[in-house]
């Protein structure tokens, strides 16, 4: 169903600048060349003139509800159509408001589906003052292609995200299998070894007790791996809203200092940039990233805490991107390790699973930013991440 | 021979400790290393036993270790422990001389059986090699004339033929022959022939 003319308009009634009351500024040739279906109404809503596209569309959609060419009451046309599609009613209200001067223009998109095909249109209603009085330009345009492209892009994006996650999950699953195998195999060895000692008459409680403690510790390790996977799986489902990165950093630093550990005593210096734009983020996740970077830095220096310090800077790289740097002055990591830092289950620590940086990177990636590492000129490492500013996000 | 030992190489400390514990539970000696390099630097190649190594390790991997060992004097059979054995890895491992594969997680009895088989294999290999070395040493003590006599005895010639060959009297051949038997510590002619042929058939090393 359409709001447009169902009957061919008269050849003579096509737009002429003078008829349309728009003066010689508008050439009828130009208006005819436009693909939008354009009608010009007078102050009472009567059609004064139409362009060639309007006529062609009317011809292709051969008449049902009377003539919708010059002289016809377009508001009445809309009213009749409103019985079939509610959008027609909205267009009528829009035109009335523009006619009344309560708004300068009106715009909407509406579906216009035939039984066999789906079509989308947009309508733009614009008011203009001419020497002959108020004129209203109604322009309908078929935006089906654009809509399809948008839907396609959305679907593609969703698929990509899905595939990306799937790929990551596959990689994770491989790593997970390997990582879970270790503690499980260790548990099995301690248990069956103990049985063999007992069978052989060796029931030294010291030795067997140690084996049981080892079993318990490995079971905990397996549990921690499972928990990490859960956390990883959850990272994509966060809730995002505009927030201040500096506040997130301050809270992370506070949490870091309050854990009572040796690493928690390493001082953190803040050099936070003033007047940073808001960031569209899941604050809990981003805070996890910041805390993770602080903890890594602190743990890297915990064995030699004299003079150790962490510096966190925030700023912006360009108007669209907010940047956070976490630097330490510790021993740094080897060239071999630096390339694998972000691999799942890679770790340089005795304890820990090697998921922190991998998780952090997936969180930052999911926010449209980047997490990178570089070696400091003097000592230690700097981790840098960017996040698009709130405007950067909405403008996309 | 020194006490047989299982050399264990695994970068995961829990795996290392637990396999060590399991192996010692059946009364075997176990010596463990966190990296393949530590093993190469610290282990004594003369010690009989077997090598149990993880594949995925920082630095030299288990497969690198196999290749490294070929160029050194390590004879002991190698059992590879792996999280997931794929075909290319298996091909590379066997080409480089691995004795066996064990996939994690493994059954403890299976691991211990394989370890014991590997140790038995190593001990018998080393026995053969040391016997060969002994025979070769004894052969080295023979004079040129004695060696000439020995070669003909091994070829199945009677004293008379040997005497004719070398242009000596049968009596003289008998004297040389009894000296050869004594030096080689052979019980009889059959024992002498077996001992020398076996030693000559045994390669210098067994991969």
């Amino acid at each position: 169903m359409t709001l447009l003319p169902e009957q061919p308009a008269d050849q003579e009634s096509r737009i002429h600048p003078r008829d349309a009351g728009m003066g010689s500024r508008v050439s009828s040739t130009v208006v005819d060349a436009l693909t939008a279906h354009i009608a010009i109404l007078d102050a009472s809503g009567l059609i004064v003139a139409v362009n060639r596209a309007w006529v062609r569309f009317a011809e292709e959609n051969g008449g049902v509800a009377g003539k919708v060419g010059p002289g016809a009451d377009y508001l009445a046309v809309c009213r009749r159509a409103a019985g079939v599609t509610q959008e027609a009613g909205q267009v009528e209200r829009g035109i009335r408001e523009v006619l009344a001067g309560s708004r300068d223009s009106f715009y909407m998109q509406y579906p216009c589906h035939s039984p066999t095909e789906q079509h989308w249109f947009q309508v733009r209603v614009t008011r203009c003052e001419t020497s002959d009085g108020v004129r209203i330009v109604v322009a309908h345009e078929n935006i089906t292609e654009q809509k399809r492209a948008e839907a396609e892009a959305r679907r593609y994006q969703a698929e990509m995200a899905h595939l990306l996650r799937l790929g990551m999950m596959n990689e994770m699953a491989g790593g997970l299998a390997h990582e879970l195998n270790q503690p499980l195999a260790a548990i099995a060895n301690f248990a069956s070894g103990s049985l063999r000692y007992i069978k052989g008459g060796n029931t030294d409680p010291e030795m067997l007790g140690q084996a049981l403690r080892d079993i318990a510790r490995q079971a905990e390790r397996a549990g921690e791996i499972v928990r990490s996977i859960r956390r990883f799986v959850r990272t994509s489902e966060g809730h995002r809203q505009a927030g201040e990165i500096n506040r997130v950093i301050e809270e992370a630093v506070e949490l870091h200092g309050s854990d009572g550990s040796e690493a928690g005593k390493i001082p953190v210096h803040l050099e936070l940039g003033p007047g940073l734009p808001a960031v569209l983020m899941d604050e809990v996740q981003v805070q996890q990233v910041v805390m993770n970077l602080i903890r890594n830095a602190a743990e890297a220096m915990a064995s030699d805490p004299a003079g150790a310090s962490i510096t966190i800077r925030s700023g912006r790289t360009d108007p669209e991107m907010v940047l956070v740097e976490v630097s330490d002055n510790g021993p740094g990591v080897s060239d071999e390790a630096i390339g694998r830092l972000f691999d799942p289950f890679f770790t340089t620590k005795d304890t820990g699973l090697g998921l922190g940086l991998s998780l952090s990177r997936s969180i930052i990636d999911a926010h449209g930013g980047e997490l990178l590492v570089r070696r400091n000129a003097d000592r230690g490492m700097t981790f840098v991440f960017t996040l698009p500013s709130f405007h950067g996000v909405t403008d996309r | 021979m020194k006490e047989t030992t299982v050399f264990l190489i695994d970068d995961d400390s829990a795996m290392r400790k637990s396999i060590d514990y399991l192996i010692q539970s059946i009364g075997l000696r176990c010596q463990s290393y966190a990296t393949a390099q530590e093993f190469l630097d610290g282990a004594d190649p003369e010690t009989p036993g077997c090598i149990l190594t993880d594949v995925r390790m920082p630095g030299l991997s288990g497969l690198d270790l196999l290749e490294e060992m070929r160029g050194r004097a390590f004879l002991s059979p190698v059992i590879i422990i792996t999280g997931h054995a794929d075909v290319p890895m298996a091909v590379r491992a066997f080409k480089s001389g691995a004795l066996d594969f064990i996939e994690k997680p493994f059954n403890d009895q299976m691991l211990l059986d394989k370890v014991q088989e590997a140790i038995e294999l190593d001990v018998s290999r080393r026995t053969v090699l040391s016997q060969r070395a002994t025979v070769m040493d004894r052969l080295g003590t023979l004079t040129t004339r004695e060696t000439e006599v020995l070669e003909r005895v091994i070829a199945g010639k009677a004293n008379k033929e040997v005497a004719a060959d070398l242009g000596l009297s049968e009596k003289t051949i008998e004297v040389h022959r009894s000296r050869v038997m004594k030096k080689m510590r052979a019980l009889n002619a059959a024992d002498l022939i077996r001992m020398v042929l076996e030693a000559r058939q045994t390669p210098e090393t067994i991969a």
Side-chain angles (χ1 to χ4, degrees), chain A residues 7-244:
Chain A
Q7 288 223 328
D10 215 311
Q11 196 60 24
E12 285 90 69
S13 58
R14 292 221 319 277
I15 292 174
H16 289 287
R18 248 161 254 296
D19 296 342
M22 296 176 79
S24 54
R25 279 174 297 130
V26 181
S27 138
S28 64
T29 322
V30 170
V31 178
D32 274 346
L34 296 176
T35 53
H37 319 142
I38 297 171
I40 294 173
L41 316 182
D42 68 11
S44 62
L46 293 180
I47 297 178
V48 179
V50 296
N51 75 341
R52 200 190 296 269
W54 183 286
V55 174
R56 201 178 305 121
F57 188 78
E59 285 168 1
E60 285 165 4
N61 294 271
V64 181
K67 192 173 154 139
V68 193
D73 180 351
Y74 194 62
L75 292 171
V77 172
C78 289
R79 215 164 24 249
R80 279 200 302 280
V84 185
T85 67
Q86 59 167 24
E87 286 84 4
Q90 291 174 31
V91 174
E92 187 205 345
R93 269 195 302 284
I95 294 174
R96 282 190 191 285
E97 282 168 16
V98 175
L99 275 173
S102 63
R103 59 197 293 176
D104 285 338
S105 67
F106 169 78
Y107 172 84
M108 76 177 284
Q109 297 186 349
Y110 59 94
C112 180
H113 305 327
S114 76
T116 52
E117 271 184 293
Q118 300 209 319
H119 290 287
W120 285 84
F121 280 81
Q122 66 179 19
V123 58
R124 196 181 296 279
V125 179
T126 322
R127 176 193 171 89
C128 48
E129 305 284 345
T130 70
S131 51
D132 297 326
V134 172
R135 289 289 182 268
I136 304 294
V137 180
V138 179
H140 293 271
E141 191 153 24
N142 190 332
I143 54 165
T144 306
E145 280 310 308
Q146 183 191 333
K147 277 280 181 192
R148 275 199 195 127
E150 278 172 17
E152 186 86 346
R154 264 198 306 277
R155 201 174 60 236
Y156 181 69
Q157 229 164 30
E159 257 168 39
M160 281 301 286
H162 180 67
L163 285 177
L164 221 64
R165 265 175 62 67
L166 213 63
M168 205 140 64
M169 287 310 289
N170 277 346
E171 202 178 298
M172 293 288 297
L176 171 70
H178 176 77
E179 287 307 307
L180 271 179
N181 254 344
Q182 302 287 98
L184 293 181
I187 288 169
N189 293 338
F190 282 125
S192 46
S194 297
L195 283 173
R196 283 170 198 280
Y197 278 117
I198 293 168
K199 224 181 267 175
N202 185 344
T203 55
D204 176 16
E206 183 65 35
M207 178 191 71
L208 293 175
Q210 182 55 47
L212 288 174
R213 275 194 293 280
D214 283 326
I215 287 174
R217 189 156 47 234
Q218 292 307 309
E220 278 168 29
R221 177 179 164 194
E224 181 54 40
I225 292 167
V226 171
R227 272 193 294 282
S228 302
I229 295 298
R230 290 236 177 87
R231 277 202 295 276
F232 178 83
V233 172
R234 274 204 300 266
T235 53
S236 64
E237 297 158 9
H239 175 63
R240 290 188 201 161
Q241 55 189 30
E244 287 172 50

Side-chain angles (χ1 to χ4, degrees), chain B residues 117-180:
Chain B
E117 277 167 33
I119 291 176
E120 278 164 29
L121 176 68
D122 193 44
V123 169
S124 72
R125 273 182 188 173
R126 284 177 192 267
T127 307
V128 169
L129 286 179
S130 81
Q131 279 169 352
R132 172 192 180 277
T134 309
V135 172
M136 290 301 181
D137 283 351
R138 287 175 192 163
L139 286 173
T141 64
L142 301 183
T143 63
T144 312
R145 184 62 83 191
E146 284 163 358
T147 306
E148 285 169 351
V149 172
L150 173 82
E151 295 303 337
R152 284 162 180 80
V153 171
I154 290 171
K157 290 185 176 173
N159 285 354
K160 205 171 168 180
E161 293 169 278
V162 179
D165 266 4
L166 299 177
L168 296 169
S169 74
E170 212 177 319
K171 189 100 184 152
T172 311
I173 296 302
E174 266 169 34
V175 174
H176 282 309
R177 186 167 170 159
S178 77
R179 284 205 189 122
V180 169

Side-chain angles (χ1 to χ4, degrees), chain A residues 174-175 178-179 181-194 196-197 207-208 210-211 214 217-218 221 336 340, chain B residues 10-15 17-26 54 56 58-59 82-84 104-106 108-109 111-112:
Chain A
H178 176 77
E179 287 307 307
N181 254 344
Q182 302 287 98
L184 293 181
I187 288 169
N189 293 338
F190 282 125
S192 46
S194 297
R196 283 170 198 280
Y197 278 117
M207 178 191 71
L208 293 175
Q210 182 55 47
D214 283 326
R217 189 156 47 234
Q218 292 307 309
R221 177 179 164 194
E336 193 197 352
R340 300 181 55 201
Chain B
D10 198 317
D11 62 311
D12 185 304
S13 67
M15 279 302 285
K17 195 173 167 192
S18 72
I19 295 176
D20 186 296
Y21 183 78
L22 179 64
I23 286 170
Q24 296 204 37
S25 75
I26 60 163
D54 190 22
R56 260 167 61 158
T82 171
H84 49 287
K104 274 186 284 190
F106 46 77
D108 61 309
Q109 190 60 55
L111 174 86
L112 295 173

Side-chain angles (χ1 to χ4, degrees), chain A residues 243-245 274-279 315-316 318-322 389-391:
Chain A
E244 287 172 50
I245 192 70
L276 295 182
V279 172
R316 53 163 85 180
D318 61 65
E320 312 281 273
M321 281 289 188
V322 170
S389 71
F390 188 48
H391 277 291

Side-chain angles (χ1 to χ4, degrees), chain A residues 287-297 355-357 359-360:
Chain A
Q287 198 166 72
Q288 264 180 16
V289 173
V290 178
M291 282 182 67
N292 189 16
L293 297 179
I294 297 174
R295 193 170 56 235
N296 281 348
L355 281 176
L357 283 174
L359 284 170
S360 297

